[in-house]
Amino acid sequence: MNQPSRSILTSLRPNARLREVLRLALPAAFKHLLDVLQILVDMLMVGLLSVSALAAVGTSMQFIMVVNVVITLYVVGGNAVTARLIGARRRKRANALLFTLGAFALLLSLPFTAAGTLFADEFYRLLGTGEDVVHYGGVYFGALSIGFPLIFLDALFYNQLSAAGDTKSSLYIKLASAGVNALLDYLLIFGHWGLPAMGVAGAAYATVASYGLNIVLYLLLLRRRDARLHFLPLWNLPDLKRAVKVGSHAALERLITVSSFLLFIWVIASYGTAALAGYQVGLRVEGLAFMPGFGFAVAAMAIVGQQLGAKRPEEAYEGGLYSLKVAATFMGVFGLVMVIWPELFVRMFTHDPATVQQASLYLRLVGLSQVPLAVLFVLSNVLRGAGDTRTPLKINIAALWLLRVIPSYIAMKLGFGIIAVYIIMTVETFIKGFIFWKIFARRKWLKTKI
């Protein structure tokens, strides 16, 4: 027997609203932290093998970014549609959509699995890496590609449960699989407990096994009577079409964002190795500030979608606004710390004086923009939760190219220092945050039809 639909944020009392927002946001934020830590553990252990092995695993992240573009296609649209259905108390239809999206995700994963296992080394050659990196990369990414069906399903289950209002279960599942991943890394990479030393292939198999554990635990969870969602083996093609229609704009946005990001890195790399290393270290530190923003963005998407599905637009607006206030507070405090004591964080990663100086410069400037960055995180997800993915697409295309990439390129060509590039990036964040706020405050997104 399905659990009765539970409305999110039905009370307008501040304390009740805060509890509901934190209930959704904190588990999502900590799960994001575990995702980051799992990658760092992989990198640290593989780095003990050789520099080439580390470079191969690190470069694979660029390929994963492309894979995530496709995952966005069904994840964002599926979130918006499922949240509406849950809010409207149409749980059976949401369960059928979960089943249909699962089949769709598996179908999408197959070409990536085939391409990765057959042509992994060619992908690395296209990037111009050395033959030693090509060798390690072919072994690692070829083995990792076997697990793409699991990776596609894992993204689906996490996001669907989040849309239904359950982020805590995914945190517990991630805790278990991250621990298993670290243990298997140790055993399979170096060959302990009588197991053969598999090197980078062992790291890939450990990752695949951890995703396999995720899927097993998710399937067990979905069989529980008190689960927020269940598998209902019925085809729900109308809602699948709605989800893909909404998600197509988000996928295009992700693709353009990835392309712009790579070009921006190319501009920074032109300032030398220390500048590039400082930027990479700065991004890792800034990722700590992203955690609360990510968590509250997930909370906002679920709240907005469910309240609109329940025909309560005013509560959808208030839920999004409250999520923004709390996220801005958390990220603003962390941003202030980055401005005052950037070296404290940078030296956790490196003690090279030139890199410390460059990373600290980056952190001081981005620390000033953490509040508008919270606006971007939360309000872009508010719009996506409402089913409006066109607006974030248009804003990000225009802002990334007209306000960041092109001005940064011009500044570099005119001989301005790296600080000019970081100022341009910071100004772009403020302008984009202001635009999202104005769109949110006008409330037209509350009438989005999906």
Side-chain angles (χ1 to χ4, degrees):
M1 183 176 185
N2 288 352
Q3 177 182 340
S5 179
R6 293 171 57 184
S7 172
I8 293 180
L9 218 68
T10 54
S11 171
L12 289 179
R13 291 176 299 171
N15 289 339
R17 184 179 297 130
L18 177 61
R19 285 195 299 270
E20 289 298 329
V21 169
L22 292 178
R23 181 182 67 81
L24 290 168
L26 293 182
F30 283 115
K31 180 190 176 295
H32 178 61
L33 172 62
L34 289 173
D35 289 335
V36 173
L37 290 177
Q38 180 170 323
I39 294 173
L40 288 177
V41 168
D42 285 351
M43 299 288 285
L44 287 172
M45 291 198 185
V46 169
L48 296 175
L49 297 175
S50 70
V51 174
S52 297
L54 179 61
V57 175
T59 303
S60 72
M61 301 304 167
Q62 310 304 319
F63 305 139
I64 297 298
M65 290 171 67
V66 176
V67 172
N68 283 335
V69 171
V70 179
I71 291 177
T72 301
L73 177 66
Y74 61 86
V75 159
V76 173
N79 279 3
V81 176
T82 294
R84 291 277 187 116
L85 293 175
I86 294 296
R89 298 177 180 265
R90 307 183 76 171
R91 191 171 295 273
K92 181 177 179 181
R93 190 166 157 183
N95 292 336
L97 177 59
L98 174 62
F99 173 80
T100 308
L101 284 170
F104 184 67
L106 285 174
L107 183 64
L108 284 178
S109 71
L110 296 180
F112 288 91
T113 299
T117 53
L118 294 175
F119 307 111
D121 52 350
E122 296 302 324
F123 295 156
Y124 283 84
R125 286 194 178 95
L126 286 174
L127 294 179
T129 60
E131 281 302 313
D132 50 347
V133 176
V134 170
H135 167 70
Y136 284 116
V139 172
Y140 176 80
F141 196 69
L144 182 66
S145 298
I146 298 173
F148 276 145
L150 302 174
I151 293 172
F152 277 56
L153 284 178
D154 176 74
L156 172 67
F157 291 154
Y158 165 65
N159 281 278
Q160 285 287 284
L161 285 171
S162 297
D166 179 11
T167 56
K168 187 179 293 186
S169 296
S170 295
L171 172 61
Y172 294 148
I173 289 172
K174 187 63 185 182
L175 278 168
S177 66
V180 168
N181 179 80
L183 175 62
L184 290 179
D185 270 346
Y186 174 74
L187 296 178
L188 298 180
I189 293 175
F190 306 110
H192 295 290
W193 294 4
L195 296 172
M198 304 174 70
V200 292
Y205 291 136
T207 300
V208 171
S210 70
Y211 276 107
L213 176 61
N214 281 356
I215 301 308
V216 170
L217 295 177
Y218 273 125
L219 291 176
L220 291 174
L221 172 65
L222 294 171
R223 289 176 60 88
R224 292 179 51 173
R225 298 181 66 180
D226 61 344
R228 294 295 182 99
L229 288 174
H230 300 87
F231 262 134
L232 181 61
L234 295 174
W235 296 109
N236 185 353
L237 297 181
D239 285 330
L240 174 63
K241 292 178 181 177
R242 295 167 67 201
V244 171
K245 181 180 179 181
V246 172
S248 61
H249 300 106
L252 179 59
E253 178 195 344
R254 174 67 69 89
L255 177 62
I256 294 172
T257 299
V258 168
S259 303
S260 304
F261 179 73
L262 293 176
L263 286 172
F264 188 68
I265 290 178
W266 175 78
V267 170
I268 291 175
S270 69
Y271 285 93
T273 302
L276 180 60
Y279 175 68
Q280 297 290 352
V281 171
L283 280 179
R284 293 182 185 181
V285 175
E286 191 183 12
L288 298 174
F290 288 173
M291 285 188 299
F294 180 83
F296 288 107
V298 171
M301 177 180 279
I303 290 169
V304 167
Q306 290 198 27
Q307 293 302 323
L308 290 179
K311 309 298 182 184
R312 289 192 288 265
E314 187 59 31
E315 296 234 2
Y317 178 84
E318 292 293 335
L321 180 60
Y322 203 80
S323 298
L324 171 60
K325 289 179 179 178
V326 183
T329 300
F330 274 93
M331 293 183 67
V333 170
F334 198 90
L336 183 61
V337 174
M338 286 195 292
V339 171
I340 300 174
W341 299 293
E343 295 88 355
L344 179 67
F345 298 99
V346 173
R347 289 197 172 94
M348 295 170 59
F349 295 91
T350 181
H351 292 280
D352 177 70
T355 304
V356 170
Q357 180 185 17
Q358 290 291 333
S360 299
L361 174 63
Y362 173 82
L363 288 176
R364 282 197 170 94
L365 282 168
V366 299
L368 297 173
S369 62
Q370 289 304 298
V371 171
L373 195 60
V375 174
L376 297 181
F377 275 3
V378 175
L379 296 191
S380 62
N381 258 28
V382 164
L383 297 181
R384 295 185 187 107
D388 180 7
T389 51
R390 289 177 180 267
T391 300
L393 169 63
K394 294 175 182 177
I395 294 174
N396 281 312
I397 289 176
L400 282 171
W401 284 93
L402 299 179
L403 300 178
R404 181 183 292 201
V405 176
I406 295 176
S408 296
Y409 177 78
I410 294 173
M412 180 263 291
K413 284 296 185 181
L414 292 177
F416 288 96
I418 188 71
I419 189 172
V421 175
Y422 292 154
I423 290 174
I424 289 169
M425 180 186 66
T426 303
V427 170
E428 182 246 359
T429 301
F430 272 91
I431 294 175
K432 201 156 57 171
F434 176 76
I435 293 172
F436 270 108
W437 169 253
K438 294 298 290 185
I439 291 172
F440 173 78
R442 289 173 183 166
R443 307 191 185 206
K444 291 183 179 180
W445 54 272
L446 292 169
K447 300 177 181 178
T448 303
K449 303 294 182 183
I450 59 174

